[in-house]
Amino acid sequence: MVFKRLMQSMGVGGPSVETVLANPNCRPGGVLEGRVHVAGGDHAADIEYVALGLVTRVEVESADSEYETTQEFARQQVTGPFRLEAGQRYDIPFRFAVPWETPLTDLYGHRLHGMTMGLRTELEVARAVDKGDLDAVSVHPLPAQERLLEALLRLGFRFARADVERGHIYGVRQSLPFYQEIEFYPAPQYAGAINQLEVTFVTDPHQVQVVLEMDKRGGLFTEGRDAFGRFTVDHATADRTDWAAQLDGWLRQSLQRRGLFS
């Protein structure tokens, strides 16, 4: 009996949890739907709660170090306390709201290199939290975001990678503690002036704030520096603009002002 109680305190023979998503694909501002299956173990257990959390990998830079961490940025509790008998099954349907600022992970059916995203399930039993299930999630662009990304591809830019960085962008309304940078290799017509272009979307229900950052090439006697541009796109009117022409005009003007483009 003492050995059995010891094993129970270590979680052996306890409840298990599994989350099944109806569809792992979503968009910012959308929902993920599914069911959480909780199965009783060898003995009865008092479940404190079952919760879901959306997590991604975030790069953190400090004064003297740089590291990656997994960060939860949206959370939803799907049950309160309940008693789970030995061998009993408990199924919990859910609708999980995806934040508008959620980073993108996929475009045209391909995973953006460098991106990870998952829905984590937590089961708390007698003050012990079991992060026992993590389901991969694919976040696809909203129409307004897709228009801008398509425009860059039409101009000749090529995807390099994407990452998520902890921090806030100056002058941008931002609710999450991080932002995504989608990096592009330069189009041939800009290759002599910039090393890469980084695009950040900060989205809400009405509009997308777009931040462009150019990593400029430095010459023999000049230092390469970043140039920033920022504009807003309304969801309702995004398809009324020739974004390839708009982006090309902004890039050329920005580089010409700095003497890097003729």
Side-chain angles (χ1 to χ4, degrees):
M1 178 63 71
V2 173
F3 177 74
K4 183 176 181 179
R5 285 200 298 268
L6 175 63
M7 296 297 283
Q8 289 178 5
S9 69
M10 296 171 62
V12 178
S16 62
V17 62
E18 178 186 13
T19 298
V20 178
L21 290 167
N23 186 346
N25 299 285
C26 64
R27 297 179 190 270
V31 296
L32 289 165
E33 298 186 47
R35 304 182 76 87
V36 179
H37 304 301
V38 183
D42 298 337
H43 51 85
D46 291 316
I47 308 299
E48 298 295 330
Y49 67 81
V50 177
L52 299 169
L54 201 56
V55 299
T56 191
R57 187 173 59 208
V58 176
E59 295 185 3
V60 182
E61 292 186 13
S62 63
D64 54 0
S65 66
E66 181 176 333
Y67 61 93
E68 290 185 346
T69 185
T70 299
Q71 179 159 352
E72 179 181 277
F73 62 96
R75 184 177 180 84
Q76 179 177 320
Q77 188 166 312
V78 294
T79 74
F82 65 95
R83 177 78 169 177
L84 186 69
E85 301 297 335
Q88 182 183 8
R89 289 189 61 86
Y90 196 78
D91 289 349
I92 310 155
F94 67 84
R95 284 174 54 87
F96 188 97
V98 178
W100 284 95
E101 291 180 23
T102 298
L104 307 179
T105 66
D106 288 69
L107 186 63
Y108 303 123
H110 298 285
R111 177 72 62 160
L112 292 176
H113 178 66
M115 288 304 304
T116 61
M117 186 76 61
L119 189 67
R120 183 170 62 193
T121 307
E122 284 186 5
L123 173 74
E124 180 172 332
V125 185
R127 297 173 301 281
V129 177
D130 175 22
K131 297 182 180 358
D133 199 25
L134 180 65
D135 294 88
V137 171
S138 296
V139 185
H140 301 266
L142 291 161
Q145 296 170 324
E146 196 165 27
R147 299 278 191 282
L148 290 157
L149 294 172
E150 285 177 349
L152 289 172
L153 295 177
R154 289 205 310 273
L155 287 172
F157 287 88
R158 294 175 295 118
F159 284 114
R161 65 184 306 276
D163 61 20
V164 178
E165 299 188 10
R166 183 175 292 177
H168 288 78
I169 303 171
Y170 178 77
V172 174
R173 296 188 308 276
Q174 183 182 334
S175 61
L176 294 182
F178 55 69
Y179 56 91
Q180 181 183 36
E181 290 185 337
I182 303 175
E183 300 175 7
F184 291 84
Y185 296 117
Q189 62 269 34
Y190 310 112
I194 60 176
N195 289 315
Q196 67 179 19
L197 178 70
E198 297 175 348
V199 180
T200 295
F201 297 122
V202 182
T203 308
D204 65 31
H206 307 290
Q207 61 188 17
V208 182
Q209 298 174 84
V210 184
V211 180
L212 301 178
E213 180 179 354
M214 292 185 294
D215 181 9
K216 302 189 303 181
R217 292 191 184 277
L220 181 61
F221 301 106
T222 61
E223 180 183 357
R225 300 192 180 189
D226 295 336
F228 292 87
R230 188 174 67 215
F231 56 91
T232 300
V233 182
D234 292 334
H235 293 299
T237 59
D239 57 353
R240 301 177 190 173
T241 300
D242 183 347
W243 289 111
Q246 289 278 76
L247 291 169
D248 182 61
W250 180 83
L251 290 168
R252 289 176 182 274
Q253 290 175 13
S254 180
L255 293 170
Q256 285 169 354
R257 284 198 302 268
R258 293 163 176 83
L260 296 171
F261 201 81
S262 57

